Amino acid sequence: MACDVLAGRLEAPGGVIYEDKYWMVDHSVGPVMLRGFLIIKLKRHCEHLAELTPEETAAFGPIMQNTCLALSRVLKPAKVYVCSFGEAVKHIHFYVIPRTPDMPAGSLPVFMHLRIKMILYRLGMRKLACSDEGAAGVAAQVRVELESLMWEEMD
């Protein structure tokens, strides 16, 4: 899906949150299981972190840090997780996942919580998913915060 979003074949709710020469930040695409589940993806196709250029690597740090800070300011989660797997989607991307206070603590319980929501969604319990409008609203708020933080980085 990362390649589909980058190629313009698929649009995330709320559109692009932040973009520079190397990276793009947007909301996860449907079905959206969690409001504020963001994705930071490399703009060029690349499957392995070891193949990042020095410029891509240097640009990533501030984007990751400021995306987490912007999401924290908007949603006030109990924790923000950042992870990358690259198995199903063979493209470098990082999940930025807010753990809301009602979710169990720990990476495994959070992923189990999201997996259970996905299974229930597929069984017809659609109300468990976040609406595209809800995701777009968070994306708009994070965009304002993140743009401000990235401008501060340049000063």
Side-chain angles (χ1 to χ4, degrees):
M1 283 197 219
C3 293
D4 289 333
V5 171
L6 290 167
R9 293 186 294 268
L10 187 61
E11 185 173 340
V16 175
I17 294 172
Y18 178 81
E19 178 175 20
D20 70 6
K21 186 175 177 180
Y22 306 108
W23 299 94
M24 177 188 290
V25 179
D26 57 18
H27 204 288
S28 62
V29 293
V32 177
M33 291 293 111
L34 182 64
R35 199 170 62 106
F37 188 134
L38 306 182
I39 302 176
I40 303 172
K41 57 184 72 81
L42 185 64
K43 289 173 70 172
R44 74 175 175 93
H45 182 78
C46 182
E47 295 181 22
H48 305 285
L49 289 172
E51 297 172 355
L52 290 176
T53 67
E55 296 81 12
E56 291 164 341
T57 303
F60 177 70
I63 292 170
M64 179 186 60
Q65 179 183 24
N66 288 323
T67 298
C68 292
L69 179 56
L71 187 60
S72 292
R73 287 180 177 177
V74 169
L75 291 181
K76 302 194 181 3
K79 179 93 172 156
V80 175
Y81 294 95
V82 177
C83 57
S84 178
F85 301 106
E87 295 293 333
V89 177
K90 302 236 182 267
H91 187 105
I92 292 175
H93 62 285
F94 296 87
Y95 298 127
V96 181
I97 306 167
R99 180 176 64 78
T100 58
D102 65 319
M103 293 171 70
S107 57
L108 185 57
V110 166
F111 281 107
M112 291 302 296
H113 177 85
L114 292 173
R115 183 72 181 141
I116 290 167
K117 282 183 78 167
M118 177 61 83
I119 291 167
L120 293 173
Y121 176 86
R122 289 183 176 156
L123 290 173
M125 299 178 142
R126 306 243 184 254
K127 66 182 178 184
L128 293 175
C130 171
S131 69
D132 283 351
E133 294 78 20
V138 169
Q141 292 174 38
V142 171
R143 181 179 301 108
V144 170
E145 287 289 332
L146 185 51
E147 286 176 356
S148 173
L149 290 165
M150 293 307 289
W151 275 106
E152 288 175 18
E153 287 280 326
M154 289 188 223
D155 286 343

